[in-house]
Amino acid sequence: GESVGLHLPTLSVQEGDNSIINCAYSNSASDYFIWYKQESGKGPQFIIDIRSNMDKRQGQRVTVLLNKTVKHLSLQIAATQPGDSAVYFCAVPVPHTNAGKSTFGDGTTLTVKP
Amino acid sequence: GAVVSQHPSRVICKSGTSVKIECRSLDFQATTMFWYRQFPKQSLMLMATSNEGSKATYEQGVEKDKFLINHASLTLSTLTVTSAHPEDSSFYICSARERGTLRRYEQYFGPGTRLTVT
């Protein structure tokens, strides 16, 4: 089955700096990738997604990069703010399913210091 | 739009009792809902997939007789933890897929329910 892992369980940055959170996946057939943000005591919140036919996608202050060669994706947050403090998960839907099942990575806890 | 609620947000129950958690899609119809559990500082683990009007599909290792799932309508799914034990204490999160969505992997998460079994 799919395994999804994150490189660092915690990340601490200074307010205003850029943050980079990394994720590795194992299934080369994976065709879609999602990043979620989970604040303490709440459910995950969709941030951004990317399809396997792309290598970069930008949103508001966030960018996702996908490297299919090494099966790696990253989430970049520009000008990190205290409100960005949360746990970030990458999720990889099970390929060729319509149920929308996803394998979630372990999560990186981002702490933003004022 | 696409709001999912859960009730209760927190529940404490005694060992041996059962507790029901509700998951509702407030402004859309959900043909599929998912139930996850999350232990402290860990990731989400899918427990089961619930389809409206049919039996839930459980992931390997999840006891279907212990975690009863009912998806009786297009806006409501319930998870009942039967004969709860302290090891069932966890954060339970549901998510829902909108009926007719063309986005195969889209799901909206609820805020979660913190279950503590004493």
Side-chain angles (χ1 to χ4, degrees), chain B:
Chain B
V3 178
V4 176
S5 71
Q6 284 184 238
H7 178 80
S9 57
R10 290 177 177 271
V11 58
I12 301 172
C13 70
K14 292 188 176 181
S15 186
T17 62
S18 296
V19 61
K20 180 185 287 187
I21 302 170
E22 293 185 349
C23 176
R24 292 182 185 273
S25 56
L26 298 186
D27 51 1
F28 65 98
Q29 293 183 326
T31 46
T32 303
M33 289 184 172
F34 301 96
W35 286 96
Y36 298 84
R37 67 186 298 180
Q38 185 179 33
F39 291 107
K41 299 191 184 301
Q42 294 190 23
S43 189
L44 282 74
M45 296 297 295
L46 180 66
M47 299 175 65
T49 302
S50 158
N51 291 298
E52 187 265 336
S54 63
K55 291 183 178 180
T57 302
Y58 290 81
E59 295 299 302
Q60 193 172 8
V62 178
E63 300 175 58
K64 62 181 181 181
D65 294 331
K66 181 168 184 61
F67 298 99
L68 300 179
I69 292 172
N70 187 313
H71 193 157
S73 77
L74 285 171
T75 59
L76 173 65
S77 176
T78 60
L79 168 68
T80 302
V81 183
T82 62
S83 187
H85 291 284
E87 57 265 30
D88 298 324
S89 298
S90 189
F91 194 50
Y92 291 87
I93 305 171
C94 73
S95 70
R97 280 177 52 77
E98 186 172 4
R99 181 184 189 185
T101 181
L102 297 179
R103 301 189 64 175
R104 196 150 48 108
Y105 300 128
E106 186 173 67
Q107 55 181 321
Y108 302 104
F109 285 89
T113 296
R114 174 75 59 195
L115 170 63
T116 303
V117 184
T118 61

Side-chain angles (χ1 to χ4, degrees), chain A residues 16-74:
Chain A
D17 288 350
N18 296 333
S19 303
I20 300 176
I21 300 170
N22 297 300
C23 182
Y25 61 96
S26 64
N27 190 345
S28 57
S30 297
D31 60 355
Y32 190 70
F33 308 87
I34 310 166
W35 282 99
Y36 291 96
K37 172 186 180 183
Q38 186 179 25
E39 297 176 349
S40 181
K42 297 183 179 180
Q45 177 185 5
F46 173 89
I47 302 173
I48 192 168
D49 56 5
I50 188 168
R51 295 191 180 281
S52 59
N53 61 354
M54 304 171 69
D55 53 20
K56 180 179 180 178
R57 189 164 187 224
Q58 287 185 294
Q60 189 177 19
R61 281 200 309 117
V62 295
T63 300
V64 55
L65 299 177
L66 175 63
N67 185 329
K68 294 181 288 294
T69 302
V70 295
K71 296 196 281 290
H72 176 273
L73 68 156
S74 66

